[in-house]
Amino acid sequence: MKILISNASEQPIYEQIVDQIKALILRNELPEGESLPSIRKLAQELQISVITTKRAYEELEREGFIETVRGKGSFIAPQNRELLKEKKLKIIEEKLIEVVEESRLLDLTFEEILEMLKILYDEGHF
């Protein structure tokens, strides 16, 4: 499992961990039942506080992405793929609303926005 932490990001470190693990689960790179590194081990690998890693795991468990078994560790929980996809679509929708609002402030046309999106998508900026 590869997680990259950016100190330049405004997003808290625990949220970066949560988002990246969720993405790995959604892409099925972390399949149901697979074990995660211990809190202590992940903290060492990322060179961060154990408290930060613990907070990330607690958030993932609260959202139903992982299950923790006392004495055995944390594992990827069974997922409802359709529900996860729906959650991701909602996030995309919120980001697109922000793009539309910013575009209107700049008086960009729909065609200009569409052209930018097409260029970004075709170049693989995703």
Side-chain angles (χ1 to χ4, degrees), residues 39-109:
I39 291 171
R40 197 170 271 127
K41 183 176 181 183
L42 185 60
Q44 287 173 341
E45 288 175 6
L46 299 177
Q47 298 180 342
I48 60 172
S49 164
V50 172
I51 295 168
T52 301
T53 308
K54 184 175 188 290
R55 185 170 179 190
Y57 276 31
E58 287 172 346
E59 181 69 23
L60 287 163
E61 188 162 19
R62 188 172 24 261
E63 292 183 26
F65 284 90
I66 68 172
E67 296 173 337
T68 301
V69 179
R70 189 177 173 134
K72 293 194 177 192
S74 297
F75 302 87
I76 304 303
Q79 302 295 315
N80 178 334
R81 298 272 175 220
E82 284 304 310
L83 181 59
L84 293 175
K85 184 177 179 181
E86 196 61 38
K87 287 180 181 180
K88 279 301 213 184
L89 285 172
K90 179 69 175 150
I91 292 168
I92 292 169
E93 183 180 317
E94 290 168 1
K95 290 180 179 183
L96 286 172
I97 288 170
E98 187 176 326
V99 168
V100 169
E101 290 170 351
E102 290 293 323
S103 298
R104 286 187 174 149
L105 290 174
L106 294 172
D107 290 326
L108 294 177
T109 66

Side-chain angles (χ1 to χ4, degrees), residues 1 20-36 64-67 74-81 84:
M1 177 173 75
Q20 290 179 54
I21 291 176
K22 283 182 188 178
L24 291 169
I25 293 169
L26 285 170
R27 291 192 306 262
N28 209 27
E29 292 177 33
L30 285 176
E32 178 182 325
E34 185 163 322
S35 65
L36 292 173
F65 284 90
I66 68 172
E67 296 173 337
S74 297
F75 302 87
I76 304 303
Q79 302 295 315
N80 178 334
R81 298 272 175 220
L84 293 175

